Amino acid sequence: MLTVSEFESVKAVKGTFQLGGVRMNVYMYLVDELLIDCGPRRLQKEIMDFLSKESYTQIILTHHHEDHTGNASMLSSEIPMYIHPEGLPLCRARPHLPLYRRVFWGSRKPFDAKGIEHRFKTKHHTFDLLHTPGHAPDHMALLEKERGWLFTGDLYVMSQPKSIFAFESIPDVIQSLQKVLSQDFKTVFCSHAGILQNGRRRIEEKLYYLLSIQDQVLAKHNDGKPASVIQKELFPRRHVLNYFSLFENSSKHIVTSIINKEGSR
Ligand SMILES: [Zn+2]
């Protein structure tokens, strides 16, 4: 199901579905004829119906994941589509998604985009493109300085994650959060949490939480505790997604991404 709302001149397009009692939200945004992300294949019919009635002349993808790019191969090749250069080979390749991600979002077909960095213009706005890896190597946030808007893709999602994916890195997310917080912005447009008018505070909350987790992990690591023990002490509970994903999503990756980065310093 799709629901559309508006904030200032930004259209927020929210896709919702349920699977096994887990409710998933995913957002795309439309502003000044720019489409930001194009949603998962699972919502293809609703999204293509919606887009057929909208006018957009450019598309930008916050990163290559299938819930943001699932319909990219369906969109007209006459409309330029952009992604961070690190995402280009990832988009051209056929993704090998684990079963639970194919079931949640649907897979996606390979597609071609153009690489972009630094800055992006629409008719009425200029967006600074902030390379913000940690969740994905090609992840970008879009900053509209004059309006105080920050489109954060999957950089935020929640303030206090208790588990992450195997491909994510807490130290890199921390750096990316610090990078966006060095800029002026007020409203956050998140791909899963929606529009956050107190967005700056929510991003700060996430940064402080992760810094505190990082300190605790390193203190225990320096005491000689193995990762499995640190994981049990800091994150004793497990979430349904941990099991669904066969632990591709797990608190273990929070601990190991911090220890591995420390070891490589
Ligand atoms: Zn993602």
Side-chain angles (χ1 to χ4, degrees), residues 63 65 68 135 154:
H63 61 298
H65 287 162
H68 303 255
H135 171 72
D154 284 356

